[in-house]
Amino acid sequence: MDTNNVIRLPEIMRITGMSKPTIYLWMSQNKFPQSIKIGARSVAWVEKEVFSWIQERINARDAQVNGGAK
């Protein structure tokens, strides 16, 4: 079964190494997955969207490295 687990900001900061201001800045620039509202004053991110974003960064790095080796 495909689930949509959500993760909170401290975990986002831990797994990305980014600060809270950077996360919110990149979200405003559509460079990072958008959060979802999970309560009146709570937000979280869909885990698979964040890990897909990380994988895209890895793929871009690898393409640049491999493209530069030609």
Side-chain angles (χ1 to χ4, degrees):
M1 174 170 45
D2 187 39
T3 61
N4 287 315
N5 295 328
V6 294
I7 49 180
R8 301 290 304 273
L9 183 60
E11 182 70 1
I12 295 293
M13 293 167 58
R14 187 190 70 74
I15 64 175
T16 64
M18 297 185 338
S19 68
K20 179 179 177 177
T22 299
I23 291 166
Y24 281 98
L25 174 65
W26 286 19
M27 282 175 50
S28 73
Q29 298 171 344
N30 291 318
K31 295 180 179 178
F32 192 77
Q34 299 297 307
S35 60
I36 58 169
K37 201 160 187 62
I38 60 170
R41 296 173 46 125
S42 301
V43 297
W45 285 258
V46 177
E47 184 179 51
K48 66 182 177 182
E49 291 176 359
V50 174
F51 282 102
S52 290
W53 177 85
I54 292 170
Q55 188 61 52
E56 289 171 9
R57 306 282 76 70
I58 293 169
N59 293 346
R61 179 214 49 202
D62 291 349
Q64 185 177 15
V65 168
N66 292 334
K70 291 182 180 178

PDB file of all heavy atoms in Angstrom, residues 16-53:
ATOM      1  N   THR A  16      17.626  17.452   5.308  1.00  0.00           N
ATOM      2  CA  THR A  16      18.127  18.286   4.207  1.00  0.00           C
ATOM      3  C   THR A  16      19.377  19.069   4.585  1.00  0.00           C
ATOM      4  O   THR A  16      20.112  19.516   3.708  1.00  0.00           O
ATOM      5  CB  THR A  16      17.069  19.295   3.726  1.00  0.00           C
ATOM      6  OG1 THR A  16      16.782  20.215   4.791  1.00  0.00           O
ATOM      7  CG2 THR A  16      15.817  18.595   3.247  1.00  0.00           C
ATOM      8  N   GLY A  17      19.574  19.302   5.880  1.00  0.00           N
ATOM      9  CA  GLY A  17      20.680  20.139   6.328  1.00  0.00           C
ATOM     10  C   GLY A  17      20.406  21.623   6.111  1.00  0.00           C
ATOM     11  O   GLY A  17      21.309  22.445   6.252  1.00  0.00           O
ATOM     12  N   MET A  18      19.167  21.974   5.783  1.00  0.00           N
ATOM     13  CA  MET A  18      18.816  23.365   5.514  1.00  0.00           C
ATOM     14  C   MET A  18      18.204  24.000   6.760  1.00  0.00           C
ATOM     15  O   MET A  18      17.616  23.313   7.594  1.00  0.00           O
ATOM     16  CB  MET A  18      17.830  23.460   4.345  1.00  0.00           C
ATOM     17  CG  MET A  18      18.416  22.965   3.051  1.00  0.00           C
ATOM     18  SD  MET A  18      17.404  23.147   1.547  1.00  0.00           S
ATOM     19  CE  MET A  18      15.746  23.283   2.055  1.00  0.00           C
ATOM     20  N   SER A  19      18.325  25.317   6.858  1.00  0.00           N
ATOM     21  CA  SER A  19      17.735  26.050   7.970  1.00  0.00           C
ATOM     22  C   SER A  19      16.256  26.328   7.685  1.00  0.00           C
ATOM     23  O   SER A  19      15.801  26.276   6.539  1.00  0.00           O
ATOM     24  CB  SER A  19      18.468  27.374   8.170  1.00  0.00           C
ATOM     25  OG  SER A  19      18.226  28.234   7.064  1.00  0.00           O
ATOM     26  N   LYS A  20      15.531  26.681   8.739  1.00  0.00           N
ATOM     27  CA  LYS A  20      14.118  27.019   8.593  1.00  0.00           C
ATOM     28  C   LYS A  20      13.916  28.176   7.610  1.00  0.00           C
ATOM     29  O   LYS A  20      13.058  28.069   6.717  1.00  0.00           O
ATOM     30  CB  LYS A  20      13.525  27.350   9.962  1.00  0.00           C
ATOM     31  CG  LYS A  20      12.079  27.748   9.946  1.00  0.00           C
ATOM     32  CD  LYS A  20      11.592  28.033  11.353  1.00  0.00           C
ATOM     33  CE  LYS A  20      10.151  28.511  11.361  1.00  0.00           C
ATOM     34  NZ  LYS A  20       9.668  28.708  12.740  1.00  0.00           N
ATOM     35  N   PRO A  21      14.677  29.284   7.723  1.00  0.00           N
ATOM     36  CA  PRO A  21      14.468  30.365   6.752  1.00  0.00           C
ATOM     37  C   PRO A  21      14.715  29.936   5.302  1.00  0.00           C
ATOM     38  O   PRO A  21      13.990  30.355   4.399  1.00  0.00           O
ATOM     39  CB  PRO A  21      15.473  31.442   7.180  1.00  0.00           C
ATOM     40  CG  PRO A  21      15.747  31.156   8.615  1.00  0.00           C
ATOM     41  CD  PRO A  21      15.640  29.666   8.756  1.00  0.00           C
ATOM     42  N   THR A  22      15.718  29.109   5.083  1.00  0.00           N
ATOM     43  CA  THR A  22      16.011  28.649   3.716  1.00  0.00           C
ATOM     44  C   THR A  22      14.876  27.782   3.189  1.00  0.00           C
ATOM     45  O   THR A  22      14.455  27.936   2.036  1.00  0.00           O
ATOM     46  CB  THR A  22      17.343  27.888   3.664  1.00  0.00           C
ATOM     47  OG1 THR A  22      18.389  28.773   4.078  1.00  0.00           O
ATOM     48  CG2 THR A  22      17.634  27.359   2.271  1.00  0.00           C
ATOM     49  N   ILE A  23      14.362  26.911   4.013  1.00  0.00           N
ATOM     50  CA  ILE A  23      13.251  26.044   3.600  1.00  0.00           C
ATOM     51  C   ILE A  23      12.064  26.899   3.155  1.00  0.00           C
ATOM     52  O   ILE A  23      11.503  26.704   2.082  1.00  0.00           O
ATOM     53  CB  ILE A  23      12.863  25.072   4.723  1.00  0.00           C
ATOM     54  CG1 ILE A  23      13.988  24.046   4.932  1.00  0.00           C
ATOM     55  CG2 ILE A  23      11.532  24.379   4.420  1.00  0.00           C
ATOM     56  CD1 ILE A  23      13.882  23.247   6.208  1.00  0.00           C
ATOM     57  N   TYR A  24      11.699  27.872   3.987  1.00  0.00           N
ATOM     58  CA  TYR A  24      10.545  28.709   3.653  1.00  0.00           C
ATOM     59  C   TYR A  24      10.820  29.625   2.464  1.00  0.00           C
ATOM     60  O   TYR A  24       9.923  29.881   1.654  1.00  0.00           O
ATOM     61  CB  TYR A  24      10.064  29.482   4.879  1.00  0.00           C
ATOM     62  CG  TYR A  24       9.227  28.603   5.787  1.00  0.00           C
ATOM     63  CD1 TYR A  24       9.772  27.981   6.904  1.00  0.00           C
ATOM     64  CD2 TYR A  24       7.894  28.362   5.492  1.00  0.00           C
ATOM     65  CE1 TYR A  24       9.003  27.155   7.711  1.00  0.00           C
ATOM     66  CE2 TYR A  24       7.114  27.538   6.289  1.00  0.00           C
ATOM     67  CZ  TYR A  24       7.678  26.935   7.399  1.00  0.00           C
ATOM     68  OH  TYR A  24       6.911  26.110   8.174  1.00  0.00           O
ATOM     69  N   LEU A  25      12.050  30.110   2.333  1.00  0.00           N
ATOM     70  CA  LEU A  25      12.410  30.917   1.159  1.00  0.00           C
ATOM     71  C   LEU A  25      12.276  30.086  -0.108  1.00  0.00           C
ATOM     72  O   LEU A  25      11.658  30.517  -1.089  1.00  0.00           O
ATOM     73  CB  LEU A  25      13.834  31.457   1.294  1.00  0.00           C
ATOM     74  CG  LEU A  25      14.374  32.187   0.055  1.00  0.00           C
ATOM     75  CD1 LEU A  25      13.578  33.459  -0.201  1.00  0.00           C
ATOM     76  CD2 LEU A  25      15.854  32.490   0.229  1.00  0.00           C
ATOM     77  N   TRP A  26      12.860  28.882  -0.096  1.00  0.00           N
ATOM     78  CA  TRP A  26      12.798  28.023  -1.276  1.00  0.00           C
ATOM     79  C   TRP A  26      11.365  27.608  -1.591  1.00  0.00           C
ATOM     80  O   TRP A  26      10.997  27.481  -2.754  1.00  0.00           O
ATOM     81  CB  TRP A  26      13.714  26.822  -1.108  1.00  0.00           C
ATOM     82  CG  TRP A  26      15.163  27.166  -1.243  1.00  0.00           C
ATOM     83  CD1 TRP A  26      15.726  28.407  -1.135  1.00  0.00           C
ATOM     84  CD2 TRP A  26      16.224  26.274  -1.516  1.00  0.00           C
ATOM     85  NE1 TRP A  26      17.090  28.321  -1.310  1.00  0.00           N
ATOM     86  CE2 TRP A  26      17.423  27.023  -1.549  1.00  0.00           C
ATOM     87  CE3 TRP A  26      16.292  24.902  -1.707  1.00  0.00           C
ATOM     88  CZ2 TRP A  26      18.658  26.444  -1.789  1.00  0.00           C
ATOM     89  CZ3 TRP A  26      17.536  24.320  -1.945  1.00  0.00           C
ATOM     90  CH2 TRP A  26      18.695  25.096  -1.991  1.00  0.00           C
ATOM     91  N   MET A  27      10.542  27.403  -0.551  1.00  0.00           N
ATOM     92  CA  MET A  27       9.131  27.101  -0.798  1.00  0.00           C
ATOM     93  C   MET A  27       8.467  28.271  -1.520  1.00  0.00           C
ATOM     94  O   MET A  27       7.697  28.062  -2.455  1.00  0.00           O
ATOM     95  CB  MET A  27       8.403  26.830   0.524  1.00  0.00           C
ATOM     96  CG  MET A  27       8.642  25.459   1.105  1.00  0.00           C
ATOM     97  SD  MET A  27       7.886  25.253   2.735  1.00  0.00           S
ATOM     98  CE  MET A  27       6.230  25.802   2.468  1.00  0.00           C
ATOM     99  N   SER A  28       8.772  29.505  -1.089  1.00  0.00           N
ATOM    100  CA  SER A  28       8.147  30.681  -1.712  1.00  0.00           C
ATOM    101  C   SER A  28       8.588  30.853  -3.160  1.00  0.00           C
ATOM    102  O   SER A  28       7.888  31.471  -3.960  1.00  0.00           O
ATOM    103  CB  SER A  28       8.459  31.947  -0.914  1.00  0.00           C
ATOM    104  OG  SER A  28       9.812  32.344  -1.084  1.00  0.00           O
ATOM    105  N   GLN A  29       9.761  30.289  -3.490  1.00  0.00           N
ATOM    106  CA  GLN A  29      10.293  30.359  -4.854  1.00  0.00           C
ATOM    107  C   GLN A  29       9.991  29.081  -5.642  1.00  0.00           C
ATOM    108  O   GLN A  29      10.506  28.896  -6.739  1.00  0.00           O
ATOM    109  CB  GLN A  29      11.809  30.584  -4.806  1.00  0.00           C
ATOM    110  CG  GLN A  29      12.202  31.881  -4.153  1.00  0.00           C
ATOM    111  CD  GLN A  29      13.699  31.992  -3.926  1.00  0.00           C
ATOM    112  OE1 GLN A  29      14.457  31.019  -3.983  1.00  0.00           O
ATOM    113  NE2 GLN A  29      14.148  33.206  -3.663  1.00  0.00           N
ATOM    114  N   ASN A  30       9.172  28.209  -5.083  1.00  0.00           N
ATOM    115  CA  ASN A  30       8.826  26.912  -5.692  1.00  0.00           C
ATOM    116  C   ASN A  30      10.060  26.071  -5.991  1.00  0.00           C
ATOM    117  O   ASN A  30      10.098  25.344  -6.990  1.00  0.00           O
ATOM    118  CB  ASN A  30       7.968  27.106  -6.943  1.00  0.00           C
ATOM    119  CG  ASN A  30       6.603  27.621  -6.598  1.00  0.00           C
ATOM    120  OD1 ASN A  30       5.978  27.169  -5.638  1.00  0.00           O
ATOM    121  ND2 ASN A  30       6.138  28.596  -7.355  1.00  0.00           N
ATOM    122  N   LYS A  31      11.052  26.153  -5.124  1.00  0.00           N
ATOM    123  CA  LYS A  31      12.266  25.346  -5.257  1.00  0.00           C
ATOM    124  C   LYS A  31      12.296  24.195  -4.257  1.00  0.00           C
ATOM    125  O   LYS A  31      13.254  23.431  -4.219  1.00  0.00           O
ATOM    126  CB  LYS A  31      13.511  26.215  -5.026  1.00  0.00           C
ATOM    127  CG  LYS A  31      13.721  27.285  -6.069  1.00  0.00           C
ATOM    128  CD  LYS A  31      14.976  28.064  -5.746  1.00  0.00           C
ATOM    129  CE  LYS A  31      15.250  29.144  -6.765  1.00  0.00           C
ATOM    130  NZ  LYS A  31      16.463  29.908  -6.398  1.00  0.00           N
ATOM    131  N   PHE A  32      11.271  24.092  -3.429  1.00  0.00           N
ATOM    132  CA  PHE A  32      11.188  23.048  -2.404  1.00  0.00           C
ATOM    133  C   PHE A  32       9.722  22.660  -2.278  1.00  0.00           C
ATOM    134  O   PHE A  32       8.838  23.506  -2.471  1.00  0.00           O
ATOM    135  CB  PHE A  32      11.720  23.575  -1.064  1.00  0.00           C
ATOM    136  CG  PHE A  32      11.928  22.497  -0.038  1.00  0.00           C
ATOM    137  CD1 PHE A  32      13.033  21.659  -0.111  1.00  0.00           C
ATOM    138  CD2 PHE A  32      11.026  22.311   0.993  1.00  0.00           C
ATOM    139  CE1 PHE A  32      13.224  20.656   0.830  1.00  0.00           C
ATOM    140  CE2 PHE A  32      11.208  21.315   1.937  1.00  0.00           C
ATOM    141  CZ  PHE A  32      12.322  20.483   1.853  1.00  0.00           C
ATOM    142  N   PRO A  33       9.433  21.394  -1.956  1.00  0.00           N
ATOM    143  CA  PRO A  33       8.030  20.961  -1.834  1.00  0.00           C
ATOM    144  C   PRO A  33       7.241  21.829  -0.852  1.00  0.00           C
ATOM    145  O   PRO A  33       7.772  22.276   0.169  1.00  0.00           O
ATOM    146  CB  PRO A  33       8.145  19.520  -1.324  1.00  0.00           C
ATOM    147  CG  PRO A  33       9.493  19.061  -1.767  1.00  0.00           C
ATOM    148  CD  PRO A  33      10.368  20.282  -1.712  1.00  0.00           C
ATOM    149  N   GLN A  34       5.990  22.041  -1.170  1.00  0.00           N
ATOM    150  CA  GLN A  34       5.112  22.833  -0.315  1.00  0.00           C
ATOM    151  C   GLN A  34       4.650  22.017   0.891  1.00  0.00           C
ATOM    152  O   GLN A  34       4.465  20.796   0.805  1.00  0.00           O
ATOM    153  CB  GLN A  34       3.894  23.302  -1.113  1.00  0.00           C
ATOM    154  CG  GLN A  34       4.240  24.183  -2.311  1.00  0.00           C
ATOM    155  CD  GLN A  34       4.917  25.473  -1.877  1.00  0.00           C
ATOM    156  OE1 GLN A  34       4.400  26.210  -1.036  1.00  0.00           O
ATOM    157  NE2 GLN A  34       6.072  25.750  -2.457  1.00  0.00           N
ATOM    158  N   SER A  35       4.469  22.695   1.991  1.00  0.00           N
ATOM    159  CA  SER A  35       3.947  22.050   3.196  1.00  0.00           C
ATOM    160  C   SER A  35       2.428  21.901   3.069  1.00  0.00           C
ATOM    161  O   SER A  35       1.797  22.530   2.222  1.00  0.00           O
ATOM    162  CB  SER A  35       4.294  22.875   4.435  1.00  0.00           C
ATOM    163  OG  SER A  35       3.733  24.172   4.345  1.00  0.00           O
ATOM    164  N   ILE A  36       1.881  21.065   3.938  1.00  0.00           N
ATOM    165  CA  ILE A  36       0.430  20.912   4.023  1.00  0.00           C
ATOM    166  C   ILE A  36       0.004  21.250   5.445  1.00  0.00           C
ATOM    167  O   ILE A  36       0.750  21.035   6.397  1.00  0.00           O
ATOM    168  CB  ILE A  36      -0.035  19.489   3.641  1.00  0.00           C
ATOM    169  CG1 ILE A  36       0.621  18.439   4.527  1.00  0.00           C
ATOM    170  CG2 ILE A  36       0.224  19.195   2.182  1.00  0.00           C
ATOM    171  CD1 ILE A  36       0.042  17.049   4.396  1.00  0.00           C
ATOM    172  N   LYS A  37      -1.166  21.807   5.575  1.00  0.00           N
ATOM    173  CA  LYS A  37      -1.699  22.155   6.886  1.00  0.00           C
ATOM    174  C   LYS A  37      -2.253  20.880   7.525  1.00  0.00           C
ATOM    175  O   LYS A  37      -3.075  20.194   6.926  1.00  0.00           O
ATOM    176  CB  LYS A  37      -2.789  23.206   6.716  1.00  0.00           C
ATOM    177  CG  LYS A  37      -3.085  24.002   7.935  1.00  0.00           C
ATOM    178  CD  LYS A  37      -3.786  25.282   7.514  1.00  0.00           C
ATOM    179  CE  LYS A  37      -3.973  26.238   8.658  1.00  0.00           C
ATOM    180  NZ  LYS A  37      -2.773  26.715   9.277  1.00  0.00           N
ATOM    181  N   ILE A  38      -1.800  20.584   8.735  1.00  0.00           N
ATOM    182  CA  ILE A  38      -2.288  19.382   9.431  1.00  0.00           C
ATOM    183  C   ILE A  38      -3.054  19.741  10.701  1.00  0.00           C
ATOM    184  O   ILE A  38      -3.547  18.864  11.392  1.00  0.00           O
ATOM    185  CB  ILE A  38      -1.144  18.388   9.749  1.00  0.00           C
ATOM    186  CG1 ILE A  38      -0.089  19.029  10.633  1.00  0.00           C
ATOM    187  CG2 ILE A  38      -0.549  17.844   8.461  1.00  0.00           C
ATOM    188  CD1 ILE A  38       0.938  18.041  11.169  1.00  0.00           C
ATOM    189  N   GLY A  39      -3.137  21.020  10.981  1.00  0.00           N
ATOM    190  CA  GLY A  39      -3.864  21.496  12.158  1.00  0.00           C
ATOM    191  C   GLY A  39      -3.993  23.001  12.080  1.00  0.00           C
ATOM    192  O   GLY A  39      -3.509  23.629  11.138  1.00  0.00           O
ATOM    193  N   ALA A  40      -4.611  23.581  13.093  1.00  0.00           N
ATOM    194  CA  ALA A  40      -4.829  25.024  13.099  1.00  0.00           C
ATOM    195  C   ALA A  40      -3.511  25.798  13.006  1.00  0.00           C
ATOM    196  O   ALA A  40      -3.436  26.820  12.334  1.00  0.00           O
ATOM    197  CB  ALA A  40      -5.592  25.429  14.358  1.00  0.00           C
ATOM    198  N   ARG A  41      -2.480  25.298  13.668  1.00  0.00           N
ATOM    199  CA  ARG A  41      -1.186  25.983  13.661  1.00  0.00           C
ATOM    200  C   ARG A  41      -0.039  25.018  13.366  1.00  0.00           C
ATOM    201  O   ARG A  41       1.086  25.220  13.817  1.00  0.00           O
ATOM    202  CB  ARG A  41      -0.963  26.655  15.013  1.00  0.00           C
ATOM    203  CG  ARG A  41      -1.962  27.753  15.300  1.00  0.00           C
ATOM    204  CD  ARG A  41      -1.829  28.279  16.705  1.00  0.00           C
ATOM    205  NE  ARG A  41      -0.451  28.533  17.079  1.00  0.00           N
ATOM    206  CZ  ARG A  41       0.016  29.677  17.530  1.00  0.00           C
ATOM    207  NH1 ARG A  41      -0.805  30.696  17.667  1.00  0.00           N
ATOM    208  NH2 ARG A  41       1.274  29.811  17.861  1.00  0.00           N
ATOM    209  N   SER A  42      -0.321  23.977  12.613  1.00  0.00           N
ATOM    210  CA  SER A  42       0.680  22.954  12.332  1.00  0.00           C
ATOM    211  C   SER A  42       0.767  22.666  10.839  1.00  0.00           C
ATOM    212  O   SER A  42      -0.255  22.583  10.169  1.00  0.00           O
ATOM    213  CB  SER A  42       0.321  21.644  13.047  1.00  0.00           C
ATOM    214  OG  SER A  42       0.240  21.842  14.427  1.00  0.00           O
ATOM    215  N   VAL A  43       1.997  22.510  10.376  1.00  0.00           N
ATOM    216  CA  VAL A  43       2.221  22.096   8.997  1.00  0.00           C
ATOM    217  C   VAL A  43       3.191  20.926   8.985  1.00  0.00           C
ATOM    218  O   VAL A  43       3.927  20.695   9.945  1.00  0.00           O
ATOM    219  CB  VAL A  43       2.775  23.237   8.105  1.00  0.00           C
ATOM    220  CG1 VAL A  43       1.791  24.382   8.006  1.00  0.00           C
ATOM    221  CG2 VAL A  43       4.131  23.706   8.589  1.00  0.00           C
ATOM    222  N   ALA A  44       3.176  20.206   7.893  1.00  0.00           N
ATOM    223  CA  ALA A  44       4.094  19.093   7.690  1.00  0.00           C
ATOM    224  C   ALA A  44       4.323  18.967   6.194  1.00  0.00           C
ATOM    225  O   ALA A  44       3.686  19.650   5.391  1.00  0.00           O
ATOM    226  CB  ALA A  44       3.521  17.800   8.259  1.00  0.00           C
ATOM    227  N   TRP A  45       5.255  18.116   5.831  1.00  0.00           N
ATOM    228  CA  TRP A  45       5.563  17.875   4.428  1.00  0.00           C
ATOM    229  C   TRP A  45       5.317  16.413   4.126  1.00  0.00           C
ATOM    230  O   TRP A  45       5.506  15.543   4.968  1.00  0.00           O
ATOM    231  CB  TRP A  45       7.033  18.207   4.148  1.00  0.00           C
ATOM    232  CG  TRP A  45       7.297  19.669   4.100  1.00  0.00           C
ATOM    233  CD1 TRP A  45       7.451  20.432   2.975  1.00  0.00           C
ATOM    234  CD2 TRP A  45       7.436  20.571   5.203  1.00  0.00           C
ATOM    235  NE1 TRP A  45       7.672  21.745   3.324  1.00  0.00           N
ATOM    236  CE2 TRP A  45       7.666  21.858   4.684  1.00  0.00           C
ATOM    237  CE3 TRP A  45       7.372  20.427   6.587  1.00  0.00           C
ATOM    238  CZ2 TRP A  45       7.841  22.981   5.488  1.00  0.00           C
ATOM    239  CZ3 TRP A  45       7.542  21.541   7.393  1.00  0.00           C
ATOM    240  CH2 TRP A  45       7.778  22.798   6.840  1.00  0.00           C
ATOM    241  N   VAL A  46       4.904  16.149   2.888  1.00  0.00           N
ATOM    242  CA  VAL A  46       4.695  14.765   2.460  1.00  0.00           C
ATOM    243  C   VAL A  46       6.088  14.159   2.253  1.00  0.00           C
ATOM    244  O   VAL A  46       6.883  14.657   1.454  1.00  0.00           O
ATOM    245  CB  VAL A  46       3.851  14.696   1.169  1.00  0.00           C
ATOM    246  CG1 VAL A  46       3.700  13.256   0.706  1.00  0.00           C
ATOM    247  CG2 VAL A  46       2.482  15.342   1.396  1.00  0.00           C
ATOM    248  N   GLU A  47       6.358  13.117   2.999  1.00  0.00           N
ATOM    249  CA  GLU A  47       7.681  12.503   3.020  1.00  0.00           C
ATOM    250  C   GLU A  47       8.181  12.136   1.634  1.00  0.00           C
ATOM    251  O   GLU A  47       9.310  12.463   1.262  1.00  0.00           O
ATOM    252  CB  GLU A  47       7.652  11.268   3.923  1.00  0.00           C
ATOM    253  CG  GLU A  47       8.984  10.592   4.104  1.00  0.00           C
ATOM    254  CD  GLU A  47       8.886   9.400   5.025  1.00  0.00           C
ATOM    255  OE1 GLU A  47       8.000   8.541   4.806  1.00  0.00           O
ATOM    256  OE2 GLU A  47       9.688   9.330   5.972  1.00  0.00           O
ATOM    257  N   LYS A  48       7.329  11.487   0.829  1.00  0.00           N
ATOM    258  CA  LYS A  48       7.800  11.040  -0.481  1.00  0.00           C
ATOM    259  C   LYS A  48       8.113  12.212  -1.400  1.00  0.00           C
ATOM    260  O   LYS A  48       8.989  12.113  -2.256  1.00  0.00           O
ATOM    261  CB  LYS A  48       6.840  10.046  -1.122  1.00  0.00           C
ATOM    262  CG  LYS A  48       5.490  10.577  -1.509  1.00  0.00           C
ATOM    263  CD  LYS A  48       4.637   9.441  -2.079  1.00  0.00           C
ATOM    264  CE  LYS A  48       3.242   9.919  -2.407  1.00  0.00           C
ATOM    265  NZ  LYS A  48       2.415   8.822  -2.897  1.00  0.00           N
ATOM    266  N   GLU A  49       7.441  13.363  -1.222  1.00  0.00           N
ATOM    267  CA  GLU A  49       7.755  14.542  -2.030  1.00  0.00           C
ATOM    268  C   GLU A  49       9.128  15.099  -1.670  1.00  0.00           C
ATOM    269  O   GLU A  49       9.884  15.513  -2.543  1.00  0.00           O
ATOM    270  CB  GLU A  49       6.687  15.621  -1.839  1.00  0.00           C
ATOM    271  CG  GLU A  49       5.342  15.259  -2.428  1.00  0.00           C
ATOM    272  CD  GLU A  49       4.274  16.303  -2.146  1.00  0.00           C
ATOM    273  OE1 GLU A  49       4.560  17.318  -1.469  1.00  0.00           O
ATOM    274  OE2 GLU A  49       3.131  16.099  -2.599  1.00  0.00           O
ATOM    275  N   VAL A  50       9.445  15.094  -0.384  1.00  0.00           N
ATOM    276  CA  VAL A  50      10.749  15.594   0.059  1.00  0.00           C
ATOM    277  C   VAL A  50      11.859  14.672  -0.435  1.00  0.00           C
ATOM    278  O   VAL A  50      12.877  15.138  -0.956  1.00  0.00           O
ATOM    279  CB  VAL A  50      10.796  15.744   1.591  1.00  0.00           C
ATOM    280  CG1 VAL A  50      12.195  16.115   2.068  1.00  0.00           C
ATOM    281  CG2 VAL A  50       9.774  16.780   2.050  1.00  0.00           C
ATOM    282  N   PHE A  51      11.665  13.368  -0.323  1.00  0.00           N
ATOM    283  CA  PHE A  51      12.697  12.441  -0.783  1.00  0.00           C
ATOM    284  C   PHE A  51      12.830  12.447  -2.304  1.00  0.00           C
ATOM    285  O   PHE A  51      13.930  12.263  -2.830  1.00  0.00           O
ATOM    286  CB  PHE A  51      12.469  11.036  -0.225  1.00  0.00           C
ATOM    287  CG  PHE A  51      12.913  10.931   1.218  1.00  0.00           C
ATOM    288  CD1 PHE A  51      11.996  10.955   2.248  1.00  0.00           C
ATOM    289  CD2 PHE A  51      14.256  10.851   1.537  1.00  0.00           C
ATOM    290  CE1 PHE A  51      12.406  10.890   3.574  1.00  0.00           C
ATOM    291  CE2 PHE A  51      14.683  10.781   2.858  1.00  0.00           C
ATOM    292  CZ  PHE A  51      13.741  10.803   3.880  1.00  0.00           C
ATOM    293  N   SER A  52      11.740  12.722  -3.021  1.00  0.00           N
ATOM    294  CA  SER A  52      11.829  12.886  -4.472  1.00  0.00           C
ATOM    295  C   SER A  52      12.633  14.130  -4.813  1.00  0.00           C
ATOM    296  O   SER A  52      13.448  14.128  -5.745  1.00  0.00           O
ATOM    297  CB  SER A  52      10.433  12.999  -5.094  1.00  0.00           C
ATOM    298  OG  SER A  52       9.755  11.781  -5.021  1.00  0.00           O
ATOM    299  N   TRP A  53      12.424  15.208  -4.058  1.00  0.00           N
ATOM    300  CA  TRP A  53      13.183  16.445  -4.252  1.00  0.00           C
ATOM    301  C   TRP A  53      14.680  16.190  -4.030  1.00  0.00           C
ATOM    302  O   TRP A  53      15.508  16.634  -4.819  1.00  0.00           O
ATOM    303  CB  TRP A  53      12.664  17.525  -3.295  1.00  0.00           C
ATOM    304  CG  TRP A  53      13.416  18.801  -3.374  1.00  0.00           C
ATOM    305  CD1 TRP A  53      13.199  19.830  -4.253  1.00  0.00           C
ATOM    306  CD2 TRP A  53      14.513  19.202  -2.565  1.00  0.00           C
ATOM    307  NE1 TRP A  53      14.095  20.845  -4.019  1.00  0.00           N
ATOM    308  CE2 TRP A  53      14.918  20.484  -2.982  1.00  0.00           C
ATOM    309  CE3 TRP A  53      15.195  18.602  -1.504  1.00  0.00           C
ATOM    310  CZ2 TRP A  53      15.962  21.168  -2.390  1.00  0.00           C
ATOM    311  CZ3 TRP A  53      16.244  19.289  -0.914  1.00  0.00           C
ATOM    312  CH2 TRP A  53      16.619  20.563  -1.359  1.00  0.00           C
TER     313      TRP A  53
END
